[in-house]
Structures are given as C-alpha cells and as structure tokens.
C-alpha cells in the first residue's frame, strides 16, 4: 500500500482529495486472495526494478535469437514505483477532463474528442474568470510552435500545452469537478520520487535501445485502468523517439475500455502530425473482474464496456481505423492479438478490401501458446505474420496470468472442444487415405 502513496500524502494526508479511482485500496493491492486476481509487481526498491529490467533485456535477446521480426513484451509496473504511475495517470485524466469541461463551456459537449476545437479567445476569458490565469499569462500559453495554426486548440494542442507549460515545482490550479474549488493539478513529488521517475524513464530508454539494436519490436503491455493513462503516455513518448523510421515500440489498447477508440484515434493523429510510425497491439482486455469489483467498492464509474458485444464492436472499430491508416499512409502497424475467429476473419476481409497484402507485414496476428492453434497454423500457412505469446516463470507467478486469459476468452472450453474435433477429423482423414504420417 505504501508504494502507491506519495510522500506528500504520508506527511500531510490528502488522500481523500484524490479521485477515487486513483486512491490506493488495500483489498486490491494483493493478488494472493484469489487465483484470478490480477498480478501486480510489488515494489521493493530500485534495485528490484533494475533486476526486472535485466530480465527484460534477456527476453529481448532471446526473441532476437529465435525469430526474425520478433516481439518482446514488458510491463511498466515492473520498472517503477506504482505510486508514480498512479499519480501521473490521475494528472493526465484531470487535464483531459478539464479540456472537456472547457468544451462544454463552448457548447461542444458530446462531440468526438478529436472534433472538438476550442476557440482560444473564449478559452482565455474562461481561464481568467475562473481565476486560473490572467489574460497576459494565457496569452503567453497560447503562443509557440507546439500549437496548431489558427485561433483554435484541439486535444493534441492541449496536451502539448501540458508538456511545455507545466512544471512539477510550479503547480497549475484547475477546478475540482465536485467542489468547484481550485486545486493543484500536479501534486509535488519529493526529491526521491523525482529520482524514481527519472530512473524509470532511463530503464525504458535502455530497453528501447536494446530492442532497436537487436531488431526486436517492444510491446508495452496494458495494465489496470488506474495505471494505464501514464503507461500509455510514456509509451507514446518512447514511440516519438524510436519510431521515426519504423515501428519499434508498440502500445497496447484494451478495447473493453469505454475510451479505447478516443485513445487510439488521438495517438494515430499525433503520429500523423509528427511523422512517426504508429505501432499497436489490440486486445479485448484481461482485468474486467477486478476493474468492475473495484469500481463498485470504491464508488466510481465502471470503465469497462457494459457487454461483451459492445467490446467486440469497439475492437472492430479501433481495428478498422488502424487498417484505414495503413491503407492511406503505410506508417502504421497492428498486432491483432485475439483468439476470436470472427475478429480474424474480419481482419482478413478488410485487408483484402483495402489492398493490404500480408507480405507487407503491416498486420500481424498473435495467440497465446497452447490456445487456438486452429487459428494460428492456417494463418501462418497462408502467409500472414503470426506469433505465439509465451508466458513463462514460476507456477505461482504465471497461473494468475493464465487464469485471466481463460476468463478473457470465455468461449475457451468450446474452442478447445472444436480444436479437438478438428484434430480428430484430420486423424481419421489421414487414416482413410493412408497418409497418417504425411
């Protein structure tokens, strides 16, 4: 629990001022209670994080030695103190909500995020009326190369303001949604916490450089929703540095999240503007039980789509958007990480319609080792790049992961039966034709 709490909270309290989703909760910090609990790496110290980094480096080397165009997956919670990821996630979410609040003030509520264009003059008036910035201060804010042309600001411009104008040592005040009172957007980090953040960024840099050197793509896995905004943002920052010529760093988007499409489209648009290669792994998501239980117990909105069908729709919507991007710019790559036959068929059909040939290797597929071989093998035989995701480690560490996969793939037993039936059918065919071993 202490690894999820900042030094400022410990000294002065203030945990109750944090958004409920980003408060530490003892009941969800331990994965030993049930086998399906989502595994979270317990932060011991910086040396342990360095040890995890060395393990990831060995994974990259192993992937490089076993196949061409290989992948290696990492979890950022293994490389940092979770408190930093939670705190940074809360900041990013508040900053985005503030943008949407300003959009509502200008009568643009309900629009798709990328369609919102805030008029700078009205925005400056609102900021002045709220007591956040004077007209002179906001005038300085809204000038510079990072902003788009014209007199409007969109979400990507807004995020660039956050990058260039806010400093941890000089908190920016924004209104609290519940109380209406101005509160610091950024809680101050202690000197040690600031060092922990820098060390985590250095570890990511070491891994990205090794991946590039070895010709391996690095997939940053998605995690729980209270970590994910920070994980995704840090991954995008790494993509901006290392994906200039090809997609080396892949971000992961969980399509069971209600905000998945906005996240995908926003990051694709950023890659367009800045000219780097967008790389993504699309998954449905693996923390549904924990996310829903936590939201109910702590009293915040469930971040998960209400039904499996809605998640399917979200997956295909996000996937189709990326495939269209590949067609028009050829500067995007996607791994369709799915055990769902309908999704695989959908992808193949859309690739054919859009003129994306498997040999371009812009689209690849991934299934877990030991699952859905009846999907994996035909894809490979048909010339599609296809990968098996290989979890390994002590049983007590790997079992929670595997149980989540089984839960995520609720039709697993039916698919296993289907695979058995297909294998038996093939055995009988070979017996009847006298080609058992051919």
């Amino acid at each position: 629990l202490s690894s999820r709490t900042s030094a400022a909270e410990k000294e002065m309290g203030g945990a109750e001022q944090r958004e409920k989703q980003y408060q530490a909760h003892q009941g969800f910090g331990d994965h030993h209670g049930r086998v399906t609990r989502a595994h979270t790496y317990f932060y011991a110290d910086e040396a342990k994080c360095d040890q995890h980094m060395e393990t990831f480096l060995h994974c990259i080397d192993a992937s490089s030695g076993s196949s061409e165009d290989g992948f290696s997956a990492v979890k950022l919670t293994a490389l940092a103190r979770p408190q930093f990821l939670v705190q940074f996630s809360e900041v990013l979410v508040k900053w985005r909500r503030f943008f949407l609040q300003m959009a509502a003030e200008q009568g643009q509520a309900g629009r798709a995020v990328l369609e919102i264009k805030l008029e700078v003059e009205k925005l400056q008036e609102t900021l002045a009326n709220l007591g956040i910035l004077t007209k002179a201060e906001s005038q300085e804010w809204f000038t510079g190369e990072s902003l788009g042309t014209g007199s409007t600001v969109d979400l990507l411009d807004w995020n660039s303001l956050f990058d260039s104008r806010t400093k941890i040592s000089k908190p920016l005040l924004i209104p609290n949604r519940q109380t209406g009172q101005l509160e610091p957007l950024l809680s101050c980090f202690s000197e040690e916490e600031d060092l922990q953040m820098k060390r985590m960024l250095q570890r990511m840099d070491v891994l990205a450089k090794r991946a590039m050197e070895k010709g391996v793509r690095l997939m940053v896995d998605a995690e729980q929703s209270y970590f994910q905004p920070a994980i995704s943002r840090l991954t995008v920052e790494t993509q901006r540095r290392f994906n200039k010529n090809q997609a080396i760093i892949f971000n992961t988007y969980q399509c069971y999240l209600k905000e998945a499409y906005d996240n995908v489209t926003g990051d694709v648009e950023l890659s367009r503007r800045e000219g780097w290669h967008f790389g993504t792994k699309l998954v449905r998501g693996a923390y549904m039980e924990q996310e829903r239980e936590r939201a109910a117990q702590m009293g915040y909105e469930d971040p998960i789509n209400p039904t499996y069908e809605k998640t399917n729709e979200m997956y295909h919507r996000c996937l189709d958007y990326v495939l269209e991007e590949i067609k028009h710019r050829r500067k995007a790559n996607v791994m369709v990480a799915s055990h769902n036959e309908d999704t695989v068929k959908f992808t193949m059909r859309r690739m054919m319609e859009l003129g994306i040939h498997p040999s371009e290797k812009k689209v690849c597929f991934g299934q877990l080792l030991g699952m859905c071989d009846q999907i994996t093998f035909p894809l490979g035989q048909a010339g599609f790049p296809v990968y098996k995701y290989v979890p390994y480690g002590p049983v007590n560490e790997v079992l929670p992961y595997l149980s989540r996969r089984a839960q995520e793939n609720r039709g697993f037993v039916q698919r296993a039966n289907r695979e058995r039936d297909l294998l038996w059918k093939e055995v009988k065919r070979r017996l009847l034709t006298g080609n058992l071993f051919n």
Side-chain angles (χ1 to χ4, degrees):
L1 191 65
S2 63
S3 72
R4 289 270 310 279
T5 308
S6 69
E9 285 178 47
K10 290 175 183 175
E11 290 176 12
M12 302 178 292
E16 67 281 352
Q17 295 178 4
R18 306 201 43 190
E19 300 241 345
K20 289 181 179 178
Q21 187 170 359
Y22 302 99
Q23 292 175 12
H25 189 292
Q26 183 69 54
F28 294 90
D30 187 349
H31 67 277
H32 296 299
R34 290 200 305 253
V35 74
T36 54
R37 278 270 190 241
H39 177 75
T40 301
Y41 287 104
F42 292 131
Y43 177 84
D45 50 37
E46 291 299 292
K48 190 67 174 176
C49 292
D50 287 335
Q51 184 180 328
H52 288 148
M53 182 188 72
E54 290 298 325
T55 300
F56 288 146
L57 288 171
H58 290 315
C59 291
I60 292 169
D61 293 343
S63 181
S64 173
S66 62
S67 65
E68 292 183 10
D69 301 319
F71 283 95
S72 188
V74 301
K75 292 185 75 169
L76 288 200
T77 51
L79 298 175
R81 187 165 178 252
Q83 174 264 327
F84 163 67
L85 295 172
V86 173
Q87 194 171 352
F88 189 32
S89 291
E90 183 180 24
V91 167
L92 293 170
V93 168
K94 283 183 176 179
W95 186 245
R96 185 179 181 127
R97 284 177 181 165
F98 187 32
F99 173 81
L100 296 175
Q101 184 181 334
M102 296 298 98
E105 292 276 343
Q106 295 192 15
Q108 299 188 55
R111 285 191 184 181
V113 172
L114 284 182
E115 293 177 5
I116 296 173
K117 310 285 184 184
L118 301 183
E119 294 182 32
V120 171
E121 194 171 326
K122 289 183 180 179
L123 182 57
Q124 289 174 321
E125 290 177 8
T126 303
L127 294 173
N129 292 337
L130 289 171
I132 295 170
L133 293 171
T134 65
K135 267 290 185 75
E137 288 172 329
S138 64
Q139 191 70 38
E140 183 183 340
W141 256 40
F142 296 107
T143 56
E145 297 177 2
S146 59
L147 288 184
T149 57
S151 58
T152 60
V153 172
D154 65 12
L155 181 63
L156 300 184
D157 297 326
W158 184 256
N159 287 339
S160 72
L161 286 173
F162 175 82
D163 292 337
S164 60
R165 305 299 181 197
T166 59
K167 301 291 182 185
I168 290 175
S169 58
K170 184 183 178 182
L172 172 69
L173 300 178
I174 63 169
N176 181 296
R177 289 193 306 159
Q178 280 75 38
T179 66
Q181 301 296 312
L182 294 181
E183 292 180 355
L185 174 68
L186 289 165
S187 302
C188 289
F189 286 124
S190 69
E191 188 175 338
E192 176 56 30
E193 288 168 346
D194 197 38
L195 284 172
Q196 290 169 356
M197 175 184 68
K198 289 175 181 175
R199 290 189 195 112
M200 195 263 315
L201 295 172
Q202 288 167 353
R203 293 181 190 111
M204 283 189 69
D205 191 66
V206 168
L207 293 174
K209 286 178 178 175
R210 178 69 69 88
M212 180 173 280
E213 174 192 330
K214 295 288 186 176
V216 171
R217 273 83 59 81
L218 197 64
M219 292 190 302
V220 180
D221 275 345
E223 304 191 45
Q224 291 93 336
S225 61
Y226 39 90
F227 294 129
Q228 193 53 41
I231 290 171
S232 189
R233 182 60 174 270
L234 292 167
T235 304
V236 167
E237 292 303 316
T238 310
Q239 288 178 314
R240 293 167 96 172
R241 291 187 57 208
F242 290 92
N243 286 10
K244 292 178 181 178
N245 299 316
Q246 59 179 313
I248 297 292
I249 310 299
F250 277 58
N251 208 347
T252 302
Y253 297 88
Q254 299 157 304
C255 294
Y256 69 0
L257 293 177
K258 295 173 182 175
E259 60 185 21
Y261 184 74
D262 286 344
N263 292 338
V264 170
T265 55
D267 291 345
V268 168
E269 176 60 24
L270 182 65
S271 73
R272 279 190 206 129
R273 291 187 189 182
E274 298 182 344
W276 45 270
H277 289 250
F278 178 80
T280 179
K281 178 178 72 167
L282 291 180
V283 300
R284 279 175 169 75
Y287 303 100
M288 183 175 69
E289 181 190 19
Q290 185 203 29
E291 292 280 12
R292 285 192 163 152
E293 185 181 345
R294 191 176 188 274
Q297 283 196 26
M298 298 181 68
Y300 59 86
E301 182 185 350
D302 183 358
I304 307 297
N305 285 318
T307 64
Y308 184 73
E309 289 69 30
K310 287 291 183 184
T311 293
N312 281 343
E313 289 175 18
M314 181 68 80
Y315 193 106
H316 289 182
R317 189 183 180 199
C318 293
L319 175 57
D320 200 49
Y321 188 88
V322 178
L323 292 175
E324 288 279 356
E325 180 68 8
I326 293 171
K327 174 191 175 182
H328 294 297
R329 292 182 65 246
R330 288 316 200 257
K331 293 185 77 170
N333 293 67
V334 59
M335 171 179 273
V336 182
S338 176
H339 299 117
N340 187 297
E341 289 186 24
D342 291 336
T343 293
V344 172
K345 290 175 182 176
F346 172 85
T347 308
M348 295 170 70
R349 185 179 73 251
R350 289 297 289 142
M351 287 177 68
M352 186 178 297
E353 292 169 354
L354 296 170
I356 303 170
H357 196 272
S359 63
E360 295 180 65
K361 298 184 178 180
K362 294 292 184 181
V363 181
C364 62
F365 297 86
Q367 286 87 43
L368 188 68
L369 182 66
M371 289 179 67
C372 293
D373 287 347
Q374 80 276 13
I375 293 177
T376 311
F377 294 154
L379 281 171
Q381 290 164 352
F384 290 90
V386 60
Y387 295 83
K388 281 298 193 183
Y389 199 100
V390 186
Y392 70 94
V395 171
N396 65 319
E397 297 290 339
V398 177
L399 202 55
Y401 173 88
L402 294 174
S403 65
R404 289 204 313 279
R405 295 283 86 75
Q407 183 183 49
E408 176 189 358
N409 296 277
R410 284 178 286 179
F412 171 69
V413 174
Q414 291 90 331
R415 279 196 289 276
N417 289 337
R418 172 171 163 73
E419 188 170 357
R420 181 198 62 195
D421 293 341
L422 289 169
L423 288 168
W424 180 235
K425 183 178 178 181
E426 177 64 11
V427 168
K428 288 193 287 187
R429 185 192 70 79
R430 293 188 183 191
L431 283 170
L432 289 172
T433 58
N435 293 309
L436 183 59
F437 300 107
N438 188 4

